[in-house]
Amino acid sequence: GRGVLPRAMAALGAYRCIECNGEATELYRDYQRGVLRISICKSCQKPVDKYIEYDPVIILINAVLCKAQAYRHILFNTKINIHGKLCVFCLLCEAYLRWLQLQDSSQNTDPDDLIRYAKEWDFYRMFGIASLEQTSFFIGIFITLWWMTPEMLKKKSDFILLLKALLLSTYGKLLLIPAVIWEHDYTPLCLAFIKVFVLISNSQAIRVTLNLNRILPWFAIFFGLILENGVVYLFQKMGWDV
């Protein structure tokens, strides 16, 4: 079905063509009386953003398929501001999964037993560890990209946009909850697929945000994983279960 066109988008501003990544001053023009015309990109002669007419479900499906056009629409041509809340919720999902894996230590349900409070502390500890690991992963990506393409990250706004893109592209971690709820013999395989999907989404977010080729984002992700695994190794040397 036809989605609701965001009239606020008609104001002059910096938008991006979802096809060629060229700049545009408007997404559509309103001729009044319900007559709207989607703007045409001057570079590629295609609609600047066809997704402004699409239902949000269709946009979500295209984002799940990691289409660059859907990512450009979400990052450049919408006013989505849920990246912070989404990040926290994804970290809670990951902490919950790790917390469940520690539950085989004791089955005592006595409310006065200290084990009950120890388990609650374990959840907060898992959340803190997951946060530090993700932070180190992002730092590894930023350092790599800044070192290899310093011209792409000259301004503070460039860093903020890339961080927002990375946070939004971690939405795949939400699948951790149904993977745990519908527990079966293939749960470890499902978790591995979720991890790969999140990394693919991160790669596409970097590529779209900085307009890079397909190889450089994977280099950045690789070094991000090295730094993340270094943090995990440090926690293990400290005797912590991660």
Side-chain angles (χ1 to χ4, degrees), residues 6-209:
R7 291 184 177 276
M9 289 297 178
L12 292 179
Y15 303 108
R16 298 286 184 88
C17 172
I18 64 172
E19 300 294 340
C20 68
N21 201 41
E23 293 187 357
T25 57
E26 59 182 5
L27 299 181
Y28 66 88
R29 183 161 297 180
D30 189 350
Y31 291 96
Q32 304 300 325
R33 297 183 181 180
V35 179
L36 301 173
R37 183 175 181 273
I38 297 179
S39 301
I40 302 299
C41 177
K42 297 179 180 179
S43 299
C44 64
Q45 302 303 314
K46 294 181 180 180
V48 172
D49 192 344
K50 62 183 179 181
Y51 285 116
I52 62 176
E53 288 190 304
Y54 283 30
D55 189 272
V57 176
I58 303 298
I59 299 174
L60 178 60
I61 292 175
N62 280 264
V64 170
L65 295 175
C66 291
K67 290 190 175 181
Q69 293 89 341
Y71 273 72
R72 291 191 183 104
H73 167 77
I74 295 172
L75 293 174
F76 299 120
N77 299 337
T78 63
K79 303 299 180 182
I80 292 179
N81 195 29
I82 63 170
H83 49 284
K85 296 178 180 178
L86 179 63
C87 174
V88 173
F89 192 71
C90 288
L91 289 174
L92 287 172
C93 293
E94 189 168 354
Y96 178 71
L97 175 63
R98 298 184 181 193
W99 180 70
L100 284 181
Q101 295 173 347
L102 298 176
Q103 295 309 297
D104 57 356
S105 59
S106 174
Q107 298 298 327
N108 196 331
T109 58
D110 185 354
D112 297 326
D113 199 314
L114 290 177
I115 294 179
R116 175 188 176 191
Y117 302 101
K119 288 182 177 180
E120 183 177 349
W121 162 247
D122 281 337
F123 175 77
Y124 296 122
R125 182 165 62 88
M126 291 297 103
F127 179 82
I129 292 174
S131 301
L132 288 175
E133 288 179 5
Q134 180 164 291
T135 300
S136 60
F137 175 66
F138 286 169
I139 290 175
I141 290 177
F142 277 107
I143 291 176
T144 305
L145 292 174
W146 181 80
W147 176 60
M148 301 186 72
T149 58
E151 70 279 359
M152 296 289 182
L153 297 172
K154 289 182 177 180
K155 299 181 293 184
K156 180 180 178 181
S157 58
D158 298 329
F159 283 93
I160 294 176
L161 180 61
L162 181 56
L163 178 60
K164 178 181 177 181
L166 287 171
L167 291 176
L168 289 175
S169 63
T170 59
Y171 67 91
K173 290 185 178 181
L174 298 177
L175 298 173
L176 292 172
I177 293 299
V180 173
I181 294 176
W182 299 325
E183 185 176 359
H184 49 72
D185 296 337
Y186 300 102
T187 297
L189 182 61
C190 292
L191 298 180
F193 276 122
I194 292 173
K195 178 67 174 179
V196 172
F197 174 74
V198 171
L199 293 178
I200 292 175
S201 299
N202 293 153
S203 172
Q204 190 71 307
I206 297 172
R207 176 173 171 251
V208 167
T209 304

